[in-house]
Amino acid sequence: MANLKIRIDELHTDKIIAKGFEFRVGRLIEEWEEEPGPTQMPNIASLRDWDRKLLSKYKPFYLPFCELCCLCTMGKCDLSQGKRGACGIDMAAQQSRIVLISCTLGAATHTAHARHLLDELIAKYGPDHPIDVGGASVYVEAPNIRLVTGIKPKTLSDLEDALEYCEKELIHLLAACHTGQEGDNIDFESKVFHAGMIDHVALEICDIAQISAYNFPKADPEAPLADIGISVIDPTKPTILVIGHNVPPSIEIYEYMKKAGLEDSIELCGICCTALDLTRKTSKAKIVGPLSHQLRFIRSGLADVIVVDEQCIRTDVLIEAKRVHAPLISTHYRNFQGLPDRTKDSIDEIVKDLVSAQVPGVALLDSEKVGEVAVKVALSVFKKRQKFKAIPLEPEVIKDAKRCTRCGNCQRVCPNYLPIPEAMLAVANGNLEPLSNLYEACIGCGRCEAYDVCHQGLKPHSMIVGASRLKMEQDRFKIRIGRGAIQDTEIRAVGGPIVMGEIPGVVAIVGCANYPGSWKDNAIIAEEFLKRKFIVTASGCAAMSISMYKNEDNQSLYEAYPGIFDAGGLVNCGSCVANSHISGALIKIASIFAKRKLNSNYEEIADYIHNRVGAVGLAWGAMSQKASSIASGFWRLGVPVIVGPHGSKYRRGLLGRKDIKEDWYVLDGRTGKRVYVGPTPEHLFISVEKKEEAMVLIPKLCMRPSDTTKGRAIKLYHYIDLYTKFYGILPDDIHLFVRTKADIPTTMKEEVIKVLEEKGWKESEIPSLDPTLLSKFVRVKG
Amino acid sequence: MKGLISEPFQKYEIPGPIKALVISKPKVVSSIIKRAKNPIFIVGHESTKVELNGKKPIDYVIRMAKASDIPVVAVSNTAREFLKRDFKPKALMASMEIGNLLTDPNWSINGKGPHDIALILGITYYVEWVILSGLKSFAYNHLKTISLDRYYQPNANWSFPNLSLKEWYENLEEIARELGVMEK
């Protein structure tokens, strides 16, 4: 409830006589029918035991990406091979400290995003604007917020207290990273989990606020399709490109276009999550692609004005904008780009200076002003620029390739060591194909073009794009726009089948676009699991990459599969902040389907999810610190996350040891008896190198102690089937997952029994259907 | 050996102060393997990526493993290539999984006591870089690592320098031959 203001015109009591008496109460938090549980607004210490319980099963394997510590002036210190730094820190603590810094950065970024967005929405729509993420079909509107803070938000201003809690916790987390603070790696890891939990609260604040205020789709499984791809942009129109994550300025651009009757006269397109969110507002907006498309699209010259907000924006965007003579508007104080702050200047003056190129760009911190300026500048510079581009034409690519000496420097600085020199040789001989074949694998970082990399002054990234004109012309796909939350009714329908294992799993394909190979790999993985009737959820750049692929019927997966949260559904929740709906759905399974208390009851809900909800995250192209904090929010809920090979640079895995039987006991909540349940799920965080490895791991990591025999047989079927498909052999750990013969998939009985016999497998006792890691949740002590 | 330079192949993967010794003679590797109590071979997908004169690096791995009875861990989808060659790896797992297991001084894949030498070939360059870094700091008391990849891996104990394809094959051939001779 917003600020409460009470005015009493006249008051007469036996002690007081007052006139025009007015007073104000800060905010009233409305209590809900459920009493708070034991973990309301937990601090760093509150959930330490739960974290340690998980971390005793999933121990960190550290991968020092840097062996030195250079954080204080006593350093640099070499921490390798058992050495300690000048402050006393060892390698394990240092690596976990860096993980904490990463996750705190990520959570702080989302929290700051939430602060900016909420302030702006409250200013525009008022503090009493109701939270509505799905009308009557979403009663539990804020599962993360309710679970962590105990707040049941009804209005925008109700989100303030949850946000203040996040801000406070983040300060403590960051302080723990200072020299001379925490020294134990497992305690650092617990703080990492805390950062992740905070992150999901902040994500949820962002998305439910913008869904409510901007009237984005409200948990709509049939949210409409939008255009995505470079070639969906009409080059005959003035074009405004928006990049980033914080959508208000972009929405004001659209509002101004609408007001001026220019909706069909200007192309409004975007890159990254701002684009995803903009399509939730208007069908007139188009998506260029994920963040890896920034350089290639800016250099294509199609954008007449570039508007940036915050996060995942190339920090050299001003340099690139200047190259194609496109004015840049920075709309956020977290991303000034060195530009003059013209917020207080008149619109006409700003427009004049940008159109005449008096300045290459401006900072403009007023979203409404951004709307008008961007549109007016786009209309004026459109003809003048004539879509000036910085990408070579094919004859120029061939001419340049002839100068390549095959020194290999470009390949050696490429994150994916793409075989550029070989491709250059082919191009020099007139064959553009090998270079064009790198188009989908190039992440668009531009490191190959940095100073002194190519001694011939070649620009390999631009040459790859220049050689790929035909591919770019085919860059035209459909994406289902972000639907937001999962309906309570959907949760009720699938809760049972998920917990029993009959829906084999929920796969969340999320994260950035730092792919180790083609961006299409994400779609290939998604398609595999859609065909197998998993629930596939998506968000952010990964949701975009899934769309940029056509199946055998020439459809994108969003056209081919429904958007419902059910077996075989492809659920695009929205931008990065919509990851909170994925964690939220898992929390809702525990609270709505299983009727576990939700209010401030983190441990019990996480324990439930970890032991019963077969869900796994896949961030195949994870790149950012935000991606690490999103992952850590899932870890604290006990949900495994797989990352691609570049994810190994996050500096550690959280790996189970299936060979240590003692690690895989749970308590039966009904009797208190210790029960061996096998390595389910085997890991909490792992990086793998090839998409086939990820595809084999997904069904394996969806196994849970609570699986019924039917459910376990279904999950085992997918695990064994994919394993044999990709590796050509049966898995050698089947015996760890088969509890009774009824667990064996019917169609695989003969070969599985043979493996079990070889392993000396014996039928174990009837598995616990009420598994818990914590003795406090045992109802009757055994 | 042309191009004997010991700098990371991926230029920005700069290591700490302790860097791999460059294998200047293949015999160094065969001698270490000969002296090892329980070596292990970890082989990834890049072992099948290149071919010269009809041979792939995986073919040399098989020769070495057979000659010295070294258990092979196939990093996941490399397994199929081994099986095509009628060679059954001892285990299949992700590179991060085997890296983690090797930090445990009590673990071995064959029950013959802890592994003292890990030979690595064919893991994605930057993944191998961090796994070797993990082993450098968390297995240094009981395990030495040898990268047999074409490019310099600074976090191993021993590594080839950056080599041409031909040089690499010549080195692998010589090691395989040496091990074969020793076997007799």
Side-chain angles (χ1 to χ4, degrees), chain A residues 59-68 78-83 91-92 95 408-409 411-417 447 450 453 516 645-649 652-660 682-683 685-690 692-693 697 700 723-729 732, chain B residues 5 7-18 44-46 49 75-81 83 88-101 103-104 106-107 122-138 140 144 151 155 157 162:
Chain A
K59 294 186 177 70
F61 169 39
Y62 293 110
L63 306 159
F65 193 37
C66 179
E67 297 174 292
L68 304 178
D78 176 16
L79 305 178
S80 66
Q81 300 193 326
K83 293 188 275 295
M91 183 64 96
Q95 294 308 307
N409 274 352
Q411 184 175 15
R412 292 182 61 191
V413 301
C414 172
N416 284 331
Y417 50 106
R447 267 174 25 180
V453 168
H646 287 295
S648 63
K649 299 172 200 168
R652 63 109 168 82
L654 296 172
L655 303 174
R657 286 280 301 269
K658 64 184 175 189
D659 56 318
I660 301 177
E682 187 180 349
H683 303 302
F685 184 51
I686 184 167
S687 155
V688 295
E689 295 174 66
K690 306 296 284 181
E692 293 80 8
E693 290 181 81
L697 261 180
K700 189 182 187 184
Y723 198 103
T724 49
K725 176 177 167 182
F726 293 127
Y727 304 161
I729 191 171
D732 68 353
Chain B
I5 46 166
E7 63 173 40
F9 170 66
Q10 282 202 287
K11 282 197 162 193
Y12 306 145
E13 304 296 351
I14 305 295
I18 300 170
H45 64 101
E46 300 215 352
K49 213 169 164 182
V75 172
S76 306
N77 65 350
T78 315
R80 188 177 279 280
E81 294 292 327
L83 296 172
K88 194 173 175 199
K90 189 79 181 165
L92 276 65
M93 56 183 94
S95 47
M96 199 183 246
E97 290 176 310
I98 179 63
N100 183 43
L101 291 169
T103 61
D104 180 351
N106 300 313
W107 179 85
I123 312 289
T124 305
Y125 184 84
Y126 54 88
V127 175
E128 186 172 328
W129 196 101
V130 289
I131 287 173
L132 285 167
S133 175
L135 294 175
K136 187 202 270 188
S137 273
F138 298 100
Y140 66 96
K144 302 283 184 207
Y151 300 122
N155 290 321
N157 289 96
N162 295 320

Side-chain angles (χ1 to χ4, degrees), chain A residues 405-425:
Chain A
T405 61
R406 254 79 63 202
C407 71
N409 274 352
C410 51
Q411 184 175 15
R412 292 182 61 191
V413 301
C414 172
N416 284 331
Y417 50 106
L418 294 177
I420 301 167
E422 285 171 35
M424 289 289 189
L425 181 62

Side-chain angles (χ1 to χ4, degrees), chain A residues 614-741:
Chain A
V616 60
L618 174 70
W620 193 238
M623 170 278 292
S624 67
Q625 297 84 39
K626 292 184 297 162
S628 67
S629 61
I630 292 168
S632 62
F634 283 107
W635 299 332
R636 197 174 227 183
L637 289 170
V639 178
V641 176
I642 303 166
V643 285
H646 287 295
S648 63
K649 299 172 200 168
Y650 281 126
R651 293 168 172 82
R652 63 109 168 82
L654 296 172
L655 303 174
R657 286 280 301 269
K658 64 184 175 189
D659 56 318
I660 301 177
K661 192 174 179 184
E662 184 57 29
D663 285 353
W664 305 105
Y665 281 83
V666 299
L667 298 171
D668 184 341
R670 293 171 189 163
T671 63
K673 193 176 169 190
R674 288 180 84 234
V675 184
Y676 175 73
V677 291
T680 52
E682 187 180 349
H683 303 302
L684 204 52
F685 184 51
I686 184 167
S687 155
V688 295
E689 295 174 66
K690 306 296 284 181
K691 68 176 182 299
E692 293 80 8
E693 290 181 81
M695 286 194 267
V696 171
L697 261 180
I698 285 169
K700 189 182 187 184
L701 295 184
C702 283
M703 288 190 230
R704 292 294 180 275
S706 69
D707 294 338
T708 59
T709 51
K710 185 180 171 192
R712 179 59 61 88
I714 292 169
K715 291 179 184 184
L716 266 173
Y717 167 81
H718 293 295
Y719 170 51
I720 296 169
D721 189 51
L722 283 163
Y723 198 103
T724 49
K725 176 177 167 182
F726 293 127
Y727 304 161
I729 191 171
L730 284 167
D732 68 353
D733 57 2
I734 299 174
H735 59 293
L736 301 175
F737 303 107
V738 177
R739 301 157 301 180
T740 72
K741 282 189 178 166

Side-chain angles (χ1 to χ4, degrees), chain A residues 505-581:
Chain A
V506 180
V507 190
I509 301 181
V510 301
C512 329
N514 186 18
Y515 301 122
S518 167
W519 75 56
K520 290 182 177 168
D521 288 349
N522 247 357
I524 291 166
I525 296 169
E527 189 173 29
E528 182 74 48
F529 289 97
L530 287 164
K531 285 178 178 169
R532 290 173 183 271
K533 297 288 180 190
F534 283 63
I535 300 174
V536 178
T537 64
S539 65
C541 283
M544 298 186 214
S545 304
I546 287 172
S547 75
M548 297 168 74
Y549 160 88
K550 287 184 177 166
N551 67 8
E552 53 200 18
D553 298 324
N554 206 31
Q555 287 181 314
S556 87
L557 297 182
Y558 292 103
E559 293 170 285
Y561 292 90
I564 188 169
F565 190 80
D566 201 348
L570 175 56
V571 184
N572 179 13
C573 291
S575 57
C576 285
V577 294
N579 278 302
S580 56
H581 304 306

